[in-house]
Amino acid sequence: MDGADEDGWSAVAGVWAELWGDFADPARQRVISETGIGPGSRVLDVGCGSGEFLGMLDRLGATPAGIDPAPAMIALARARLPTADIRLGSAEGMPWPAATFDVVTAFNALQFAEDTLDALHEFVRVTAPNGLVAVSNWAEGARNDLNVIETSVALAAGEELRPDGELRQAGGLEELFGDAGLDVISAGLVEVCWEAPNDEVLVRGVLMGEDPDTIAATAATVIDAARPFRIEGGGYRLVNAFRYAIGRTGPQATTPARNSSPSS
Ligand SMILES: C[S@@+](CC[C@H](N)C(=O)[O-])C[C@H]1O[C@@H](n2cnc3c(N)ncnc32)[C@H](O)[C@@H]1O
């Protein structure tokens, strides 16, 4: 599903949690091991969705907090962790004071911010001095089996193919981190796989958020395009890649106050 619309994400929250909630786990594990998150770490996950990473943090003994603009996502995250600090809101303006967290993360979410640099400045603001910011998102389409299917769907619908956004490309996250004043300490690729046990789940997962007529008209295209990814037993395995970058904040708060004067 595309787009930054919180109503759209709310509408698919249940399907997201069921079919895609664990998808980013390899990237989450990489970020945990490279940031050293552990017992007592104060960690904010931005665009927390249905709260899978918050659950992981809780099991590690960290203190998780989350924020997401989609009310149904927030409801699922709160149901998972009723006592955690989980708030409704967007990356662009977060309701925590400066320097509240040791680590601030976003998985498959920063790209939905209206202005990713503004949003990243906000990540930096709420991160403690010498704290860490970690962002992970889809790599360029050529690395993703899902892209093969999405390309077939787009061509069948007569749509133009969209170029990869900057954050998907090699060096894109690192450049944005530099612009936000973060010192990149680690970056790379992580393999993320998505499996569907049958045609029905494949179609529901790939066409998540589409209306029933579109799903009915497009299901055969999805199944046909997914043929190379069939596995024993009739299911499918799509091998994809996420990029990630981890950056350190400076010794002092680095971000000027937002909207501080009418001329700023
Ligand atoms: C693809 S889901 C990923 C959810 C979760 N991070 C995960 O990896 O499972 C994208 C999430 O970003 C949220 N989102 C969209 N726009 C956002 C914004 N401006 N700030 C923060 N989160 C946003 C959506 O509501 C949705 O929950």
Side-chain angles (χ1 to χ4, degrees):
M1 155 157 162
D2 300 313
D5 165 28
E6 61 266 27
D7 294 337
W9 283 111
S10 263
V12 300
V15 182
W16 176 266
E18 177 196 347
L19 301 183
W20 290 97
D22 297 331
F23 173 59
D25 276 2
R28 294 166 179 153
Q29 293 292 1
R30 178 73 63 90
V31 164
I32 286 170
S33 70
E34 295 205 8
T35 56
I37 289 171
S41 305
R42 300 166 300 165
V43 185
L44 170 65
D45 188 35
V46 182
C48 63
S50 37
E52 286 75 7
F53 186 56
L54 303 181
M56 226 180 229
L57 294 170
D58 187 59
R59 290 191 290 280
L60 281 172
T63 304
I67 187 165
D68 197 288
M73 289 288 197
I74 287 295
L76 290 173
R78 285 181 177 152
R80 186 185 299 276
L81 283 182
T83 60
D85 181 4
I86 300 173
R87 305 195 193 182
L88 187 67
S90 295
E92 295 88 336
M94 299 197 279
W96 286 280
T100 301
F101 301 101
D102 302 310
V103 183
V104 174
T105 61
F107 297 91
N108 196 3
L110 178 64
Q111 72 269 26
F112 298 115
E114 255 178 45
D115 183 319
T116 51
L117 181 57
D118 267 4
L120 198 58
H121 275 305
E122 186 65 350
F123 285 36
V124 172
R125 184 187 68 79
V126 298
T127 304
N130 297 312
L132 295 171
V133 171
V135 174
S136 183
N137 51 235
W138 288 87
E140 62 272 33
R143 293 184 182 274
N144 303 320
D145 289 348
L146 181 65
N147 192 59
V148 173
I149 303 175
E150 290 182 337
T151 299
S152 293
V153 169
L155 292 176
E159 290 170 9
E160 254 180 55
L161 299 180
R162 284 175 306 173
D164 288 316
E166 281 169 17
L167 299 190
R168 285 181 169 232
Q169 297 170 28
L173 278 170
E174 291 93 316
E175 192 177 330
L176 186 72
F177 272 43
D179 292 346
L182 287 160
D183 180 18
V184 176
I185 60 164
S186 172
L189 285 162
V190 183
E191 186 176 283
V192 283
C193 295
W194 186 75
E195 291 193 5
N198 53 45
D199 288 358
E200 186 271 328
V201 172
L202 173 79
V203 169
R204 219 153 43 86
V206 171
L207 299 179
M208 185 183 66
E210 299 292 349
D211 63 77
D213 286 349
T214 305
I215 292 174
T218 316
T221 304
V222 170
I223 293 166
D224 196 44
R227 216 180 284 264
F229 314 121
R230 282 196 80 115
I231 52 176
E232 237 173 88
Y236 300 86
R237 182 166 203 263
L238 308 184
V239 180
N240 309 284
F242 269 19
R243 293 192 178 279
Y244 73 95
I246 300 172
R248 194 175 291 285
T249 59
Q252 292 179 341
T254 53
T255 307
R258 294 159 61 86
N259 304 324
S260 52
S261 85
S263 60
S264 63

